[in-house]
Amino acid sequence: MAKLAKKPKEDHSNDWLSTYSDMVTLLLTFFVLLYASSSADEVKWQYIYQAFQSHGKYLNEYVDSPNPTPEEGEGTASEQPSTGGMGTLPQTTDELYHYIAQYISDNDLSDSVSVENGAAHLNIRFDNNVFFEPNSAVLTQQGKDLLDGISPGINAVKNSIKTCTVNGHTAKAVSAVNDWDLSSGRAVSVVKYMDFRKVLDTEQFRTKGSGYAEPIADNDTIEGMAKNRRVEMVILKNDVDLTDPAVIKDILKYDYGVDMDNYDPDGDHSNNTTKVPNDYAQSIIDSLDEKFPDQGSSGLMVGPVISGDYDSFLMSAEADSSAGDAGSGADSASE
């Protein structure tokens, strides 16, 4: 009886290719997903970020299931995140005002933080003890938590913000630290933290240290000095109607340093100049000079700049003009 031929042994040395191809397919799917989401709405990403930051204590429309049934100890859709303002991130600077005001209310900060909504600006005022220890320009953890709380809202409307100026203030009192150094250092500390967190673009930030030169209360009392020790954040809006007189007035005051109330003390537009300061014109010029520093010895320059030696250019132009006038005279005499 003939022997059956032995079956050749199967080669399994390339079985790993099947697993490898599955992995490559999954990777490809993952990168396609990343590419598809790369053009997603920035605000939606802020919602998702907010949900993760709240550790499940807050659910919004982009990450919430249709009918959430949280277990005991978990959050619900009605709870607010511990590091944020209102549940819905703002879409405009006016909504940002309500967002920050809600955050202040929810976290019982009304005694130390306030927000004002102007025609073209938002002014957020922080008591000094919220951010810093006495005579220190180092942000406390409480200050960092506060900035983290309002930053998602500010970031959500970054395209509607022209500038964000942080101004440090001190009280007029005996101190071991120079007031200018301390006020400037505190403003810089706040901006550096917000810039590190990418709350706004670096170009949008400004800092200012005013020392005790701009008090809002009497420095002769302890309560007054406490009010004067503060940090103010002025956000200049970019989503405003530039034909609105109130907006123009606000921009002149907070962007150019020209307070129109000084030139119309009664606010009745009566053109009564008797109450207007004598140096009002010079004060406006000084404000514009500060906003637009001189670029040369000739003062504020408007229009195209001529390269080279300007004095030589003038002398050459005058010589050409004189020659032209002489030639013109000769032509007239020969007629």
Side-chain angles (χ1 to χ4, degrees):
M1 184 174 178
K3 294 183 179 180
L4 294 174
K6 292 183 178 180
K7 294 181 178 180
K9 293 183 179 180
E10 295 182 3
D11 185 10
H12 296 280
S13 60
N14 293 325
D15 285 356
W16 61 274
L17 286 174
S18 298
T19 305
Y20 179 77
S21 61
D22 289 340
M23 182 185 69
V24 171
T25 302
L26 290 173
L27 281 175
L28 178 61
T29 304
F30 175 72
F31 284 116
V32 169
L33 176 63
L34 287 180
Y35 177 79
S37 63
S38 62
S39 59
D41 188 345
E42 181 179 349
V43 175
K44 292 181 181 180
W45 283 110
Q46 288 293 332
Y47 283 132
I48 297 172
Y49 168 78
Q50 186 186 43
F52 277 105
Q53 285 291 99
S54 64
H55 303 290
K57 291 183 178 180
Y58 178 68
L59 305 174
N60 57 53
E61 59 182 304
Y62 293 105
V63 296
D64 187 12
S65 59
N67 296 298
T69 54
E71 297 178 1
E72 184 178 354
E74 292 185 350
T76 66
S78 62
E79 288 183 316
Q80 300 294 330
S82 58
T83 57
M86 294 166 57
T88 301
L89 291 177
Q91 302 296 304
T92 66
T93 50
D94 286 334
E95 290 181 9
L96 175 61
Y97 163 74
H98 295 290
Y99 177 93
I100 295 175
Q102 185 68 46
Y103 178 85
I104 293 172
S105 175
D106 290 345
N107 292 274
D108 297 324
L109 294 171
S110 56
D111 291 337
S112 54
V113 184
S114 62
V115 59
E116 168 197 336
N117 189 21
H121 81 288
L122 287 178
N123 186 8
I124 312 170
R125 180 174 294 164
F126 308 90
D127 284 357
N128 189 60
N129 56 8
V130 174
F131 283 148
F132 305 102
E133 297 291 341
N135 290 340
S136 172
V138 179
L139 269 175
T140 62
Q141 186 58 49
Q142 180 187 9
K144 294 178 181 178
D145 292 341
L146 175 54
L147 290 175
D148 289 340
I150 65 175
S151 289
I154 297 175
N155 179 262
V157 297
K158 62 183 296 185
N159 293 330
S160 298
I161 293 176
K162 183 179 181 182
T163 58
C164 175
T165 303
V166 179
N167 192 355
H169 300 268
T170 61
K172 190 175 182 180
V174 178
S175 174
V177 182
N178 182 274
D179 290 280
W180 296 110
D181 292 339
L182 186 60
S183 60
S184 300
R186 286 173 169 174
V188 169
S189 292
V190 173
V191 166
K192 285 174 66 177
Y193 185 79
M194 295 179 69
D195 190 34
F196 176 76
R197 294 289 190 181
K198 303 298 181 184
V199 178
L200 295 173
D201 294 335
T202 302
E203 295 79 8
Q204 293 175 282
F205 286 114
R206 306 285 187 274
T207 62
K208 181 181 176 183
S210 297
Y212 56 77
E214 299 177 6
I216 58 173
D218 191 351
N219 274 309
D220 294 333
T221 64
I222 296 178
E223 294 79 8
M225 287 190 292
K227 291 182 179 180
N228 290 331
R229 295 186 179 104
R230 67 197 190 278
V231 173
E232 293 184 333
M233 183 182 300
V234 178
I235 296 175
L236 200 62
K237 302 177 183 179
N238 208 22
D239 55 349
V240 291
D241 180 8
L242 296 178
T243 63
D244 186 343
V247 170
I248 296 174
K249 181 180 177 180
D250 228 27
I251 292 175
L252 285 173
K253 180 176 181 180
Y254 291 97
D255 197 19
Y256 292 85
V258 179
D259 189 352
M260 298 306 296
D261 288 337
N262 294 334
Y263 314 119
D264 186 20
D266 297 330
D268 55 4
H269 306 288
S270 62
N271 295 323
N272 182 4
T273 60
T274 59
K275 296 183 179 181
V276 176
N278 294 328
D279 60 343
Y280 75 95
Q282 186 60 46
S283 65
I284 294 176
I285 293 173
D286 292 342
S287 298
L288 293 176
D289 283 343
E290 184 178 351
K291 179 70 176 178
F292 303 103
D294 291 348
Q295 300 297 319
S297 58
S298 59
L300 186 65
M301 291 189 291
V302 180
V305 179
I306 301 173
S307 59
D309 188 345
Y310 189 62
D311 293 333
S312 299
F313 171 79
L314 285 178
M315 293 176 61
S316 175
E318 290 173 354
D320 292 342
S321 176
S322 299
D325 291 340
S328 175
D331 292 339
S332 299
S334 64
E335 286 183 355

